[in-house]
Amino acid sequence: MSHNEPHYLPAEHPHADAWHRHSSEEGMPQSEHAARINPYGLYLGVFGILGFVVVSVVIVAVYFQSYVSTYRAEKQESVNVSEDYVAMRARADATLANYQWIDMREGVVSLPIDVAMDNVIEKYAGSAHTDARAGGAN
């Protein structure tokens, strides 16, 4: 390559074919597209699209808020659940506070929890008292 030669390719334009040639038989040429713009139509279109987007966002936000509040209400503890708990707790307290037959043939009885705890304390206090006397005799 020499420094005297151009460093670019020359533009090559193919010859126009018959489709590109216009004759007087065609009449007046077509006007260019969008040469005259209707600003009111343009504003109407832009604000129409903008309004559609705003309305869509509001509808989605309202739907989402409704869905979330319903979902939260389902997940939170309701009054019915607490009423069930109170009834179950009352049955458990009644079981722990009263004498009941467990097995009549075997003679197994359920004691109230206070009586059962007192019996256990007396049993272990008595054995500790006996153990202390036995240990002191040695």
Side-chain angles (χ1 to χ4, degrees):
M1 265 181 100
S2 81
H3 294 285
N4 296 334
E5 293 179 22
H7 296 282
Y8 58 88
L9 291 175
E12 295 181 18
H13 298 289
H15 296 289
D17 59 4
W19 187 80
H20 287 92
R21 295 189 184 139
H22 298 283
S23 67
S24 60
E25 297 164 356
E26 293 178 4
M28 291 297 291
Q30 195 178 38
S31 64
E32 75 179 277
H33 299 290
R36 287 177 261 142
I37 297 175
N38 181 357
Y40 298 113
L42 185 64
Y43 293 145
L44 182 65
V46 168
F47 288 120
I49 291 172
L50 183 64
F52 176 76
V53 169
V54 168
V55 167
S56 297
V57 168
V58 168
I59 289 172
V60 168
V62 167
Y63 174 75
F64 179 75
Q65 186 65 29
S66 170
Y67 178 80
V68 167
S69 63
T70 303
Y71 184 75
R72 284 182 183 163
E74 290 174 358
K75 291 295 181 185
Q76 289 179 347
E77 182 178 350
S78 68
V79 175
N80 296 339
V81 174
S82 64
E83 289 173 357
D84 293 342
Y85 172 75
V86 168
M88 186 268 315
R89 182 62 189 221
R91 287 192 305 271
D93 287 342
T95 301
L96 291 173
N98 296 316
Y99 290 95
Q100 293 180 0
W101 281 105
I102 302 296
D103 189 355
M104 291 181 99
R105 283 185 277 159
E106 298 290 325
V108 178
V109 178
S110 172
L111 301 174
I113 191 74
D114 296 336
V115 174
M117 288 191 301
D118 290 340
N119 289 347
V120 169
I121 291 171
E122 286 177 17
K123 177 181 174 184
Y124 283 104
S127 67
H129 201 41
T130 306
D131 291 342
R133 276 192 255 160
N138 285 344

